[in-house]
Amino acid sequence: MSMDYMPQPRRSVAFIGSECYPFVKTGGLGDVMYALPRALTRLNCDVKVILPRYKCIPWKYQEKMVYRGEFYMDLSQDGRSYYVGIMEYVWDGVVYDFIDNEEFFGFGNPYTNLVDDIPKYCFFSKAALAALNYMDWHPDIIHCHDWQAGLVPVFQRTMFGGTPVAAAKTMLTIHNLRFQGIYNIPTIQFWSGLPDYVFNYQGLRQGYEDANMFKGGLAFADSITTVSGTYAQEIQTPFYGEGLDDHLRYHSGKLYGIVNGIDTDMWNPWTDSRLAVNYDITNVLERKKANKRALQESLGLAQDDHMFVIGLISRLTDQKGLDLVNEVLPQLIDGHTQVVVLGTGDDRYENSFRYYEDRFKGSVCSCIMYDEGRAHQIYAGADALLVPSLFEPCGLTQLIAMRYGTIPIVRETGGLKDTVEPYNANTNGGNGFTFDRYESGLLLDAINRAKTFYFTNRWCWDEMVQRDMDKDVSWENSARQYRDLYMQLKP
Ligand code: ADP
């Protein structure tokens, strides 16, 4: 009997993080907090997701929440007691417990500025643990996400020592190392009430006077994960380490990389209501053309099946390699190629893409906006998708592209390297085209290789399209790896 069919012991897991689709989402963290718990429930895990009850959560969810209880909790050094309410919502086998407090979560968006966010997430991390004790729910694993939940492992091992929740093992996942929750020691000590000894160099202390909430969490967690194996290696180097590379090297024995998946129901070209024509692997070659034409028509591009259409769907920031794209874009326009950009972000990129649209009318379209529907149409209608990131912890767009039979052209970094196997002419294998060093010449070369392949070897290109659609990019595989890690932590 294979291991997969052996019954696994049930594990209970508390997810603690600052955002979760569909309640509140600003980035990839929100997607993971939605999809991973659902995938884990299918693997015999009992999952509770603990979130702040922000005011911006849509009313249709707020009205379904059920009052679960309330208590008062110490937090800061001024000795005040803070209200903690628990509102519960059960959906598709996952229990969502929202921590309620008007003072911290009563205004608009989840993140405002560090002056407000530091106290907010000190409160949230402590209240989440206190709520688990209050509800008398003792998980095997407490799985925390990003800096906003970074203090959870620290609280658990200090102030909550000896309480029921201390028996759990903790895991802290790095989705984005760039944001760490750094502020001066007196402020963080005031708001967390944590003892002096955690503010040392092995713990929260950074530099002469600062404390770093993420750094503390990484030190105290029983296990650290990040969202791809390559990124797990990269963040141990100064270039990618965001100042924590030595700390991560020190803790590398408990650091693992597991790539994200995508929600294959949400991203399904066969059922996607936003597409001109639905398709699956059996009819993709014909029907993708119809989607290409519809895309060209809606964007005012020349309508021509024979064009090689390159998509780019991205936040327009330095992380995403857009300076390289800007450098090579004029060289891509050759009468057989069209470029479609969808994104918002830094002015300089927004403006340069607007400029290119103007200069290459009919060949370049720059949609400077956030538009889910258009994203779906580009994934379906483009031939290739560009992801030339400077760094990319995991990256979702290349996974979605493959699911839609669109060939990714990516830089070999982080999750891009782990999920896109470069085309190999000898074996006629691989999923896309890649380049290694962060240089515009290499990006241009990768795009030209893809283009040549498309125009001169369509039979093999089409095979790659079908291979990509067949690739497993679902959460199931990743959820299984998380569950195995939970089992290792708590056999
Ligand atoms: P990051 O989290 O760094 O922004 P990811 O690749 O992990 O990058 O996730 C990006 C997600 O956001 C994808 O689902 C992508 O389709 C979506 N997205 C990015 N920009 C836009 C946009 N302008 N309009 C619609 N969707 C977008």
Side-chain angles (χ1 to χ4, degrees):
M1 196 187 243
S2 104
M3 275 298 286
D4 275 356
Y5 298 101
M6 304 254 288
Q8 293 280 346
R10 199 163 174 82
R11 281 287 168 273
S12 52
V13 190
F15 268 56
I16 304 180
S18 58
E19 55 182 271
C20 177
Y21 175 87
F23 311 112
V24 54
K25 174 187 156 179
T26 69
L29 168 63
D31 289 319
V32 178
M33 292 286 289
Y34 162 77
L36 182 53
R38 293 161 70 96
L40 285 167
T41 58
R42 293 194 285 271
L43 297 174
N44 203 22
C45 290
D46 201 3
V47 190
K48 227 184 224 309
V49 181
I50 304 188
L51 297 162
R53 185 192 182 188
Y54 304 109
K55 205 165 204 154
C56 60
I57 295 174
W59 178 244
K60 64 177 176 185
Y61 301 115
Q62 300 256 13
E63 69 178 352
K64 289 193 193 121
M65 295 178 190
V66 178
Y67 172 81
R68 206 34 231 275
E70 65 181 57
F71 58 91
Y72 282 82
M73 176 185 86
D74 297 341
L75 179 71
S76 57
Q77 287 176 335
D78 65 4
R80 257 182 72 192
S81 274
Y82 289 81
Y83 171 83
V84 181
I86 306 173
M87 301 295 287
E88 195 162 272
Y89 176 51
V90 184
W91 179 36
D92 256 7
V94 179
V95 180
Y96 298 87
D97 281 314
F98 293 86
I99 302 292
D100 192 20
N101 180 296
E102 268 291 308
E103 192 178 331
F104 291 112
F105 308 132
F107 44 85
N109 294 327
Y111 316 122
T112 38
N113 53 64
L114 269 189
V115 178
D116 293 327
D117 288 353
I118 295 281
K120 189 189 301 178
Y121 293 111
C122 286
F123 169 79
F124 173 62
S125 297
K126 191 170 182 192
L129 288 173
L132 287 172
N133 278 341
Y134 174 86
M135 291 186 284
D136 211 14
W137 199 75
H138 314 304
D140 297 307
I141 307 290
I142 298 175
H143 190 162
C144 322
H145 300 265
D146 271 354
W147 79 266
Q148 294 90 348
L151 285 190
V152 171
V154 188
F155 280 128
Q156 192 236 13
R157 295 267 283 273
T158 54
M159 293 164 153
F160 284 81
T163 73
V165 84
K169 294 289 184 187
T170 53
M171 178 183 283
L172 179 55
T173 295
I174 303 170
H175 299 266
N176 193 340
L177 194 57
R178 184 142 282 187
F179 305 105
Q180 299 177 4
I182 303 174
Y183 220 76
N184 61 56
I185 291 174
T187 303
I188 290 187
Q189 193 159 20
F190 175 84
W191 280 108
S192 64
L194 283 165
D196 288 339
Y197 68 87
V198 305
F199 292 90
N200 61 8
Y201 283 108
Q202 275 77 46
L204 274 82
R205 191 185 193 106
Q206 178 158 325
Y208 288 112
E209 53 193 25
D210 285 336
N212 180 333
M213 288 164 61
F214 212 1
K215 178 170 179 273
L218 297 169
F220 279 78
D222 294 303
S223 170
I224 305 169
T225 67
T226 187
V227 289
S228 69
T230 296
Y231 194 61
Q233 296 301 318
E234 288 174 340
I235 54 178
Q236 297 178 50
T237 66
F239 184 80
Y240 294 99
E242 304 285 349
L244 289 184
D245 49 297
D246 54 348
H247 193 61
L248 287 161
R249 278 199 303 280
Y250 182 79
H251 289 288
S252 61
K254 60 175 182 182
L255 170 62
Y256 305 88
I258 301 176
V259 291
N260 290 335
I262 54 170
D263 187 313
T264 46
D265 294 328
M266 191 179 347
W267 297 106
N268 182 354
W270 182 239
T271 54
D272 192 332
S273 60
R274 284 142 155 164
L275 306 194
V277 184
N278 289 114
Y279 58 93
D280 64 14
I281 194 165
T282 61
N283 50 29
V284 52
L285 304 175
E286 205 37 55
R287 296 199 180 176
K288 220 172 181 317
K289 282 191 199 136
N291 283 297
K292 185 193 281 194
R293 271 196 302 276
L295 181 69
Q296 288 167 329
E297 188 183 351
S298 70
L299 299 181
L301 294 169
Q303 288 173 52
D304 182 347
D305 282 358
H306 302 293
M307 288 285 175
F308 182 62
V309 178
I310 304 175
L312 176 81
I313 301 175
S314 178
R315 287 184 292 116
L316 302 181
T317 65
D318 286 335
Q319 176 196 337
K320 299 294 182 177
L322 302 165
D323 45 348
L324 303 188
V325 179
N326 271 328
E327 270 179 55
V328 305
L329 204 141
Q331 296 168 76
L332 301 180
I333 306 305
D334 53 6
H336 308 287
T337 308
Q338 294 175 335
V339 178
V340 178
V341 178
L342 173 64
T344 56
D346 298 354
D347 282 350
R348 68 188 179 111
Y349 295 125
E350 292 191 351
N351 291 335
S352 63
F353 285 120
R354 283 194 187 104
Y355 162 79
Y356 282 129
E357 171 174 283
D358 207 42
R359 182 168 152 199
F360 300 110
K361 273 228 153 20
S363 295
V364 175
C365 177
S366 302
C367 311
I368 307 301
M369 60 179 76
Y370 189 94
D371 184 337
E372 294 269 353
R374 187 148 292 178
H376 285 245
Q377 287 148 12
I378 297 173
Y379 288 120
D383 295 297
L385 190 92
L386 220 49
V387 201
S389 307
L390 178 62
F391 70 94
E392 196 61 77
C394 178
L396 296 176
T397 58
Q398 82 282 10
L399 301 178
I400 302 169
M402 289 192 275
R403 173 112 172 110
Y404 279 64
T406 301
I407 304 297
I409 302 175
V410 307
R411 181 164 169 259
E412 290 168 20
T413 183
L416 299 171
K417 183 169 179 184
D418 294 352
T419 56
V420 180
E421 190 192 326
Y423 175 65
N424 180 334
N426 294 324
T427 59
N428 192 32
N431 309 104
F433 293 86
T434 70
F435 64 104
D436 52 8
R437 290 189 313 280
Y438 191 75
E439 289 172 18
S440 57
L442 296 183
L443 168 63
L444 182 62
D445 178 58
I447 298 172
N448 282 338
R449 271 185 283 132
K451 215 194 265 187
T452 308
F453 192 54
Y454 177 82
F455 283 117
T456 63
N457 200 350
R458 185 65 62 85
W459 176 258
C460 290
W461 175 277
D462 289 345
E463 279 183 348
M464 189 189 277
V465 167
Q466 287 169 317
R467 204 159 47 239
D468 281 7
M469 285 189 79
D470 209 26
K471 188 176 158 76
D472 183 5
V473 290
S474 73
W475 266 104
E476 211 175 306
N477 208 354
S478 319
R480 203 165 274 141
Q481 293 177 54
Y482 278 108
R483 188 205 49 196
D484 290 348
L485 265 185
Y486 298 157
M487 299 294 298
Q488 259 182 47
L489 284 173
K490 203 86 193 248

